[in-house]
Amino acid sequence: MTKNGLVDEKIGQRVRIERPSGYDASIWIRSVTRIFDFQKRRKPMSEEYRSMWNELGLDLDAHDMLLGVLGKGYQDIYLAQKDRPEGMGYFDFVLSEVHGLRIKELMDEKAAGRKVIGSFCVFVPEEIVRAADATLVGLCTGADFATEEVEKILPRNTCSLIKSAFGFKLGKVCPYLESADMIVGENTCDGKKKSYEILKDLVPNLYVMDLPQMKSSEGRAVLRAEYFRFKEAVEELTGVTIDAKRLKKGIEIVNNKRKAIHRLSLLRKADPAPISGLDALLANQVFFYDDPVRYTDSVNKICDELESRIEKMTGPFPKGAPRILMSGCPMAVPNWKLPWITETSGAVIVGEESCVGERGTRNLTDDSGNTIEELMQAIIERHFKVDCAIFTPNPDRLAHVEEMFREYKADGVIHYGLQFCQPYIAESMPVEKALEAKGIPTLRIDTDYGMEDEGQLKTRVEAFIEMVKG
Ligand code: BJ8
């Protein structure tokens, strides 16, 4: 082991993990050791955070169980991949510390007087949060937890994503939710809208943001009013008055991380793809948790490495491997089921038309304005372009799926709908019809977070991949 990196050749594959800037060497070495504990199937996180989790009110036994499952899943799905870019070591590190060091950082920020805001949706403008020196974090929504308890207060036919948010709350296993000074819910789909009426009694600090359902001038006015109301709420929470200088800085920080992840996305056009879809998805998922400046730096470093892989024509899948575009509902950590099934069936995923992917990050906020009014308007315009299926009609999404299919030289589209997600499942049929009419092979998958349908999904995905191979 060196001070800045660690090399372990005992695990069959050489792994080198660079220490990211901003991390103390001793913490880094401890954390990297924990990554190898993942690989050796030991307990993923040590005792040192237990008092912090206790103070946050987590159920330590349930939380241990969750971390055990997460560690095992990460081992089986991520660490089992071959020819990963070395830069993925950073994301392994972040995942190994997702409930540990990152929470400690948030607690330190809070102790220094800064605020943490939790969100469930890309419509919550991070620029405004950063402008007030606060931190926006995505809340845990990617795994089933305490489902029996959840189904006592939510209808069984609610999507897994919403149930997951409630399960993490009822099971007391989400340190992000427990450390948030404000939790922002948004009136997007009916499931979320109605569930916030119940969530407000479970958390002390829920703020609900209304959102338009149509891309009309009236819809834009709703978004405008809501973003100005949100700015005021953030100012009140933080005690910081957001002026143009602060907002410009907030836009710059968030734009930089969007640019970095978009750079990574564009590199996936190469054949062979320089990175697996699973690894690229992980980078997109970490977007919602990590310190934005450190994240930007780490993604750009991995992009440099991917550029050199492209020059050498190397990657985790051979040249000519079938290329798949995923489109549909967002996949939050640790929802890796469908990408894992797809990539262990011989295809490589080259893009995600999703909020944890291009839909969430492709657009930048214009930072040329000099007044609060101009900059706020730029934030409104940027977010008004997000083509979530809650909008009606929503033609831009189909156009983006087609555009990504062409640009990323995909061979087929897998449309991913979470069971009981009305907006995306309703759109999946016209999307499939329109794509098929243009000769684009499309597979519609509706699933949940359970593994019961793994075998059935694998059979369908393998057949689809065989078909697109021609
Ligand atoms: S902008 S996609 S992040 S709302 S899966 S809860 S839609 S029933 S997550 Fe989303 Fe914002 Fe839209 Fe993006 Fe409802 Fe569907 Fe569940 Fe969903």
Side-chain angles (χ1 to χ4, degrees):
M1 189 184 297
T2 66
K3 194 177 169 206
N4 291 331
L6 185 148
V7 179
D8 188 322
E9 294 176 90
K10 279 180 257 163
I11 54 168
Q13 187 189 350
R14 187 181 163 89
V15 178
R16 185 157 195 287
I17 302 172
E18 291 291 334
R19 176 163 64 97
S21 50
Y23 277 117
D24 170 75
S26 62
I27 294 176
W28 170 238
I29 287 171
R30 249 189 358 255
S31 305
V32 170
T33 306
R34 223 168 272 134
I35 294 169
F36 289 102
D37 285 349
F38 261 35
Q39 291 169 306
K40 291 166 187 164
R41 293 170 192 256
R42 285 195 222 125
K43 204 163 145 191
M45 289 203 197
S46 70
E47 302 295 311
E48 68 201 85
Y49 299 122
R50 294 187 83 76
S51 60
M52 175 178 75
W53 294 332
N54 208 14
E55 275 167 33
L56 284 170
L58 298 193
D59 177 331
L60 295 186
D61 290 341
H63 189 244
D64 281 351
M65 195 176 82
L66 175 74
L67 293 186
V69 173
L70 180 64
K72 168 85 168 69
Y74 199 74
Q75 158 76 38
D76 293 347
I77 295 175
Y78 273 89
L79 302 180
Q81 295 180 95
K82 296 221 163 50
D83 299 322
R84 301 178 74 207
E86 288 185 353
M88 283 312 294
Y90 174 73
F91 295 99
D92 292 339
F93 165 63
V94 172
L95 248 281
S96 75
E97 288 290 350
V98 74
H99 280 198
L101 185 55
R102 184 64 188 129
I103 300 300
K104 170 83 172 47
E105 289 180 336
L106 295 181
M107 299 313 285
D108 290 348
E109 286 178 22
K110 282 161 69 85
R114 295 177 57 190
K115 301 292 181 189
V116 174
I117 297 179
S119 123
F120 297 108
C121 179
V122 298
F123 270 105
V124 179
E126 189 174 358
E127 296 92 330
I128 293 175
V129 175
R130 298 286 342 158
D133 277 339
T135 297
L136 188 74
V137 289
L139 296 172
C140 306
T141 54
D144 289 332
F145 209 87
T147 307
E148 245 176 66
E149 292 307 305
V150 173
E151 289 181 354
K152 287 180 190 158
I153 56 173
L154 283 180
R156 201 187 64 76
N157 57 354
T158 301
C159 84
S160 293
L161 194 144
I162 298 171
K163 279 190 194 165
S164 171
F166 275 69
F168 275 72
K169 174 64 205 171
L170 295 176
K172 300 185 188 152
V173 290
C174 178
Y176 291 94
L177 192 128
E178 302 304 339
S179 57
D181 299 291
M182 176 197 271
I183 293 168
V184 186
E186 17 54 55
N187 290 342
T188 44
C189 61
D190 285 352
K192 275 184 168 177
K193 244 184 332 224
K194 300 308 284 182
S195 72
Y196 296 137
E197 293 174 13
I198 299 163
L199 189 65
K200 79 171 189 332
D201 296 330
L202 303 178
V203 297
N205 46 10
L206 182 70
Y207 174 96
V208 178
M209 176 184 283
D210 200 14
L211 283 184
Q213 308 276 297
M214 292 178 83
K215 299 271 177 87
S216 56
S217 53
E218 291 82 1
R220 184 180 269 106
V222 170
L223 194 65
R224 179 184 162 82
E226 283 300 298
Y227 279 9
F228 272 97
R229 185 170 73 90
F230 180 62
K231 175 176 156 292
E232 275 172 30
V234 171
E235 287 177 327
E236 196 182 321
L237 177 76
T238 58
V240 173
T241 303
I242 299 173
D243 58 18
K245 192 170 162 221
R246 281 181 164 276
L247 198 50
K248 222 171 163 69
K249 185 73 193 156
I251 292 172
E252 182 193 324
I253 292 171
V254 182
N255 269 351
N256 282 345
K257 73 171 184 170
R258 290 182 187 133
K259 278 183 207 161
I261 193 69
H262 194 61
R263 181 181 165 208
L264 187 147
S265 298
L266 296 180
L267 293 170
R268 297 163 73 192
K269 290 180 182 177
D271 186 14
I275 185 168
S276 68
L278 273 167
D279 277 340
L281 173 63
L282 186 66
N284 274 289
Q285 290 173 329
V286 169
F287 182 96
F288 295 91
Y289 298 95
D290 201 5
D291 172 83
V293 176
R294 187 173 62 214
Y295 174 87
T296 302
D297 198 36
S298 302
V299 174
N300 276 322
K301 270 193 194 134
I302 205 170
C303 289
D304 294 342
E305 185 186 349
L306 298 188
E307 280 170 358
S308 100
R309 283 182 153 215
I310 291 169
E311 260 175 46
K312 293 181 201 137
M313 294 192 66
T314 57
F317 290 82
K319 185 174 167 54
R323 299 164 68 86
I324 298 295
L325 175 69
M326 278 288 166
S327 170
C329 291
M331 293 176 182
V333 173
N335 177 11
W336 303 310
K337 179 171 78 170
L338 191 55
W340 173 65
I341 288 175
T342 305
E343 295 205 321
T344 51
S345 300
V348 56
I349 296 165
V350 292
E352 295 79 25
E353 188 283 312
S354 159
C355 284
V356 183
E358 286 278 274
R359 191 188 311 130
T361 56
R362 74 158 70 84
N363 299 310
L364 298 180
T365 299
D366 178 4
D367 63 354
S368 62
N370 288 311
T371 64
I372 276 284
E373 175 61 36
E374 287 166 346
L375 295 167
M376 283 294 289
Q377 193 57 39
I379 293 170
I380 293 156
E381 294 305 327
R382 186 261 164 206
H383 286 80
F384 206 53
K385 287 188 200 138
V386 174
D387 46 4
C388 172
I390 59 134
F391 285 95
T392 180
N394 191 30
D396 290 356
R397 181 168 164 243
L398 175 61
H400 279 134
V401 178
E402 289 179 21
E403 181 189 311
M404 285 184 75
F405 175 83
R406 278 194 311 276
E407 297 262 310
Y408 291 79
K409 301 180 192 77
D411 298 304
V413 175
I414 296 185
H415 190 285
Y416 163 68
L418 265 179
Q419 264 169 23
F420 309 122
C421 170
Q422 296 297 344
Y424 282 90
I425 290 184
E427 275 195 5
S428 69
M429 295 178 203
V431 165
E432 178 188 41
K433 209 167 148 199
L435 294 179
E436 294 275 358
K438 295 198 170 173
I440 299 174
T442 306
L443 175 68
R444 273 196 296 126
I445 299 272
D446 299 345
T447 184
D448 58 14
Y449 290 170
M451 291 306 281
E452 292 77 13
D453 60 354
E454 181 193 339
Q456 189 209 44
L457 288 183
K458 180 113 181 122
T459 307
R460 291 184 62 204
V461 169
E462 279 175 352
F464 181 68
I465 292 169
E466 272 310 306
M467 194 263 285
V468 301
K469 269 205 288 198

